[in-house]
Amino acid sequence: MKICVLALLVQRVAELAVGRPWSHIHRTLDAMQVTEFTTPTHRFFQRNPIPAAAAEILKKLDLPPPK
């Protein structure tokens, strides 16, 4: 129960900071993707370029872009 309340609080804080509804924030950030590459001895991750709208949301939330 507490985790649900915390999740709703995070959503609301994000909505207030960005000025958009959570559905828009979620859809925009969902465009960011990571691809995993594996070899027998190594594992690599590469993210796609961050769309401008997603970068703007990250900036408004004061979050660094994922590496």
Side-chain angles (χ1 to χ4, degrees), residues 2-3 10-12 16 25-26 35-36 42 45-46 48-50 52 57 61 66:
K2 290 179 185 179
I3 193 88
V10 168
Q11 285 182 355
R12 188 63 183 139
L16 293 173
I25 296 168
H26 181 268
T35 304
E36 179 182 1
H42 293 87
F45 295 92
Q46 180 180 5
N48 65 337
I50 297 176
I57 288 174
L61 294 174

Side-chain angles (χ1 to χ4, degrees), residues 44-64:
F44 303 93
F45 295 92
Q46 180 180 5
R47 70 167 167 79
N48 65 337
I50 297 176
E56 182 180 330
I57 288 174
L58 291 173
K59 185 177 180 180
K60 287 182 179 180
L61 294 174
D62 197 25
L63 295 171

